[in-house]
Amino acid sequence: MPATSSSTPARKPLAIGAGVLVAALLLGYASYTATKPDDSTPARGSSAAESSAQPGAGTYPELAALARRDAGDKLAVGRPDAPVVMIEYADFQCGYCGKFARDTEPELIAEYVDKGVLRIEWRNFPIFGEESEAAARASWAAGQQGRFWQFHAAAYAEGAKEKGFGKDRLRALAEEAGVPDLDRFGRDLDGEAARKAVTRDQEEAYRLGATSTPSFLVGGRPISGAQPKETFVQAIEEAARTAKESPAGGASGTGEAPGASGKGGASGPDAG
């Protein structure tokens, strides 16, 4: 969905090459055309969006380098040394983000994350105003108690966004997600650390030229909108082949032993 928030953060230029800036501009344009409200087939988007999502559209090392591969990242799932990292920029009020979360992401986790091929790193990209900002902070707060992916599932459940993301609703979602200490959740949600974490992710997306959600980087390849599963499969498998053929093998030197898993040591979004 395209951004509608009037409080857009200042966009600072990212220190990346000219070729990547072209890709970033394409990401911004294609993400809009892929997710504009008048699109009758939001899963596919326009030809411009589809062309940006195809594996032949180009991979950029500078974009691949945005993968944090932090073993302590509570908003990520999969091994830190997985050959492919998919970065997802999304908003909890975005209907197309919800479609991806319900229809496509679980299959990618089962087929690629659980097998050690893919790591998914979530970036909060709230673009629809105060409730989006609050939901983003709430997801981060749930993550501090190891329940980010459970909160993610509850917030993206069918019909969830229509109930809004007011304070009481966020607490109810946290309870549904199994967050053990709801009082701490409330404090974390309103704390400075949550605001800084969300702002960091949000500004990264804006610097890339992303203007709507969902937007993705798969192994450094921009993909815009809730594209069909096949688009992600093609990009992941091509990135995995490239990583296997490269001297470094795709890992980034995180210090983790082979076989170590992400999301605080868990290999799936429902792990403790």
Side-chain angles (χ1 to χ4, degrees):
M1 286 185 177
T4 58
S5 173
S6 59
S7 57
T8 300
R11 303 187 188 184
K12 302 176 183 178
L14 192 66
I16 53 181
V20 179
L21 289 175
V22 172
L25 290 172
L26 177 61
L27 175 62
Y29 171 74
S31 62
Y32 170 73
T33 57
T35 58
K36 60 183 178 181
D38 292 337
D39 193 334
S40 61
T41 56
R44 292 189 176 275
S46 71
S47 59
E50 289 180 356
S51 67
S52 75
Q54 293 304 318
T59 298
Y60 301 91
E62 296 94 330
L63 297 183
L66 291 173
R68 295 170 187 168
R69 294 184 179 272
D70 178 1
D73 186 350
K74 300 180 186 299
L75 277 61
V77 60
R79 291 169 30 169
D81 63 346
V84 184
V85 176
M86 180 174 79
I87 302 173
E88 176 182 356
Y89 301 92
D91 183 315
F92 284 103
Q93 290 198 98
C94 166
Y96 301 130
C97 299
K99 177 178 176 59
F100 175 81
R102 292 188 300 272
D103 298 347
T104 304
E105 196 160 37
E107 294 186 18
L108 296 180
I109 288 173
E111 294 176 26
Y112 294 102
V113 174
D114 290 348
K115 294 177 182 178
V117 174
L118 179 69
R119 174 176 173 84
I120 300 175
E121 295 186 355
W122 171 271
R123 304 283 194 270
N124 273 304
F125 187 25
I127 59 176
F128 294 108
E130 292 183 6
E131 287 204 355
S132 288
E133 297 270 358
R137 296 197 310 273
S139 74
W140 182 89
Q144 301 317 292
Q145 299 187 55
R147 306 303 285 181
F148 168 78
W149 289 100
Q150 291 81 358
F151 182 93
H152 173 279
Y156 276 139
E158 194 74 54
K161 80 180 183 71
E162 285 74 18
K163 297 178 182 179
F165 293 110
K167 199 159 195 174
D168 290 344
R169 176 65 180 148
L170 292 174
R171 186 180 176 93
L173 286 170
E175 186 172 13
E176 182 180 343
V179 174
D181 188 338
L182 293 177
D183 289 337
R184 176 191 168 187
F185 168 81
R187 292 192 301 271
D188 287 345
L189 189 164
D190 291 327
E192 187 63 20
R195 295 179 191 279
K196 287 182 177 179
V198 170
T199 297
R200 176 193 182 192
D201 290 352
Q202 189 178 46
E203 289 186 347
E204 179 180 289
Y206 278 128
R207 288 170 189 163
L208 284 172
T211 58
S212 61
T213 52
S215 293
F216 305 87
L217 298 175
V218 179
R221 184 186 311 282
I223 293 180
S224 304
Q227 300 286 339
K229 175 189 170 184
E230 290 74 17
T231 296
F232 293 94
V233 167
Q234 289 173 8
I236 292 166
E237 292 189 352
E238 182 168 302
R241 285 193 298 270
T242 300
K244 187 176 182 180
E245 293 166 1
S246 70
S252 66
T254 60
E256 291 286 322
S261 60
K263 193 184 160 295
S267 62
D270 296 323

